[in-house]
Amino acid sequence: MNNSSMNITVERSTRVSRVSTIVFCVAIVVLAGAPWWCPRGQLSMLVEFLYYLALAELWNLLAGYAGVMSLGSQGFIGLGGYSLFFFALLRGWHPLIALVLAGVVGLLVALPAVALILRLHGAYLAIASWVVAEVGRLAFTEVEALGRGSGKSLEVSIVRKLEFPFLTRDGTLYLLALVIAILTIALSYRLLCSKYGLALTSVRDNETSARSSGVNSFGLKFGVFVVTGAAMALVGALIYLTKLRISPASAFDINWTSNIIFIVIIGGIGTLEGPIVGTIVFFVLRQYLSDLGSWYLIILGALAVAIMLKMPRGLWGAFSSRFDVRLFPTRRCLVFLTSDHANAGSTNTRESALAAGSGEQS
């Protein structure tokens, strides 16, 4: 007679995710040393890649998980850039301090702006977010101290404050971009693995049902929108600390948001891996097709439409569904462990079933 017992546990990680964690840690160590082995031109490209990745992850958190389709990301990017110039150029503070304060300004502005925008829903919310960004653009065209519509440049003395005996200015900017991108991914993953991530997913999938279950949908959306707005302002400050010149037309350009949306849609909205894949695809396409002029934009648009029709969940979503691979698993699984004690060496068989609560787009 066989005596067996069954233990049930809840797990989130998989063998693939554990291996990918090791790979990512090794990659981070290698990338952290890039200022000392990477050529300057490629280092600048990596900085751009990292801040686009951070912006895409933030917009994905807002739209892919909170269900808030915003078209006003350029508003926070421009606000962060101008805040940096105000504190560093007009107040004379260290650019790193100005960078942090730009995020604080973004947080303070996001509080009333988001409270107003979230009174609307659907297309009206998207349009309202764009209108708020346009108001910001028009407002900064009237600020004489910051160059009005023609813009302003950072002085050389300010830029030199980013140079250290062991690190150049480009290296400092790169490490800042790397830290921001890593923190964006890590904190997003931490949030989605918590009870708030589960609540966000329920609000995205069916807000009425979530509210009937006791979820404070407005509070969740408000909190995520405010935090992502502050983070986008911080990234915007980094962008224009890199560019060294700012103007209302460039800082509040709708192309910032359109590029971010393209990256998330192509890669896979509602997944943490999607923006990574989308950013890689975006930069590869830009590298080889940007010389085609208007045809470059036509190809990007056609590719986006084709993927939305054939693969609504994006490249990573289709790949993940096909091979059941998740590098950042947020779904909880019930694991049944059955031990057969009839044999001298007990053997375990394992089965997994999806438990309630998935942080990924279904």
Side-chain angles (χ1 to χ4, degrees):
M1 181 176 180
N2 292 337
N3 295 323
S4 62
S5 62
M6 178 177 292
N7 296 322
I8 301 176
T9 61
V10 179
E11 292 186 2
R12 180 181 293 112
S13 63
T14 62
R15 181 179 299 177
V16 174
S17 68
R18 287 189 286 270
V19 172
S20 65
T21 299
I22 298 174
V23 173
F24 278 124
C25 289
V26 173
I28 290 172
V29 173
V30 173
L31 290 174
W36 294 276
W37 57 261
C38 186
R40 182 177 180 181
Q42 295 181 8
L43 199 65
S44 299
M45 182 176 294
L46 283 175
V47 170
E48 188 177 6
F49 177 90
L50 290 169
Y51 67 63
Y52 260 113
L53 173 59
L55 290 172
E57 288 286 1
L58 290 168
W59 192 87
N60 179 56
L61 181 64
L62 182 62
Y65 290 98
V68 179
M69 292 292 176
S70 170
L71 296 179
S73 299
Q74 71 274 15
F76 291 109
I77 294 172
L79 176 65
Y82 268 103
S83 298
L84 170 82
F85 273 64
F86 172 79
F87 291 117
L89 191 60
L90 301 184
R91 307 300 297 177
W93 293 354
H94 194 281
L96 296 182
I97 297 177
L99 185 75
V100 176
L101 290 177
V104 176
V105 171
L107 177 68
L108 296 176
V109 172
L111 289 172
V114 171
L116 176 64
I117 293 172
L118 285 182
R119 292 178 177 272
L120 303 172
H121 300 278
Y124 297 103
L125 186 151
I127 294 173
S129 63
W130 172 75
V131 169
V132 170
E134 282 297 294
V135 170
R137 182 183 66 83
L138 294 174
F140 279 103
T141 57
E142 302 299 325
V143 181
E144 185 174 356
L146 292 173
R148 290 182 176 270
S150 59
K152 201 79 171 177
S153 298
L154 282 178
E155 297 176 356
V156 177
S157 59
I158 296 175
V159 177
R160 287 178 176 172
K161 293 179 181 179
L162 295 174
E163 296 180 354
F164 299 95
F166 56 90
L167 199 61
T168 63
R169 179 185 71 89
D170 293 331
T172 302
L173 292 173
Y174 168 78
L175 291 180
L176 285 172
L178 181 63
V179 169
I180 291 175
I182 292 173
L183 286 178
T184 300
I185 297 173
L187 295 178
S188 297
Y189 180 66
R190 181 64 177 172
L191 172 65
L192 295 173
C193 288
S194 68
K195 61 181 181 181
Y196 299 107
L198 185 60
L200 272 176
T201 305
S202 66
V203 170
R204 178 200 65 194
D205 293 340
N206 193 319
E207 184 172 354
T208 302
S209 297
R211 293 176 64 182
S212 65
S213 301
V215 176
N216 183 359
S217 61
F218 180 84
L220 282 172
K221 289 182 177 182
F222 181 83
V224 171
F225 208 155
V226 169
V227 171
T228 55
M232 284 184 176
L234 179 66
V235 177
L238 174 65
I239 291 172
Y240 286 97
L241 185 58
T242 304
K243 293 181 177 294
L244 302 179
R245 180 170 179 79
I246 193 171
S247 67
S250 64
F252 295 91
D253 192 350
I254 189 65
N255 284 331
W256 286 115
T257 299
S258 62
N259 288 340
I260 295 169
I261 294 176
F262 175 84
I263 288 171
V264 176
I265 295 298
I266 290 292
I269 190 170
T271 64
L272 288 175
E273 301 92 342
I276 300 176
V277 174
T279 306
I280 294 173
V281 172
F282 175 74
F283 271 79
V284 170
L285 291 175
R286 196 182 68 172
Q287 180 71 21
Y288 292 100
L289 301 179
S290 58
D291 293 336
L292 298 179
S294 300
W295 281 104
Y296 164 65
L297 299 177
I298 294 173
I299 293 173
L300 288 186
L303 180 62
V305 171
I307 289 182
M308 284 188 287
L309 291 175
K310 298 297 183 180
M311 293 180 285
R313 297 179 60 188
L315 295 175
W316 177 260
F319 176 82
S320 178
S321 298
R322 176 67 177 82
F323 298 100
D324 194 26
V325 175
R326 292 171 181 83
L327 304 182
F328 301 102
T330 56
R331 299 192 300 181
R332 297 162 179 84
C333 293
L334 289 180
V335 181
F336 301 88
L337 298 175
T338 304
S339 300
D340 188 355
H341 299 288
N343 300 323
S346 63
T347 58
N348 294 335
T349 60
R350 171 174 172 166
E351 297 179 9
S352 299
L354 181 61
S358 168
E360 299 176 1
Q361 188 73 282
S362 57

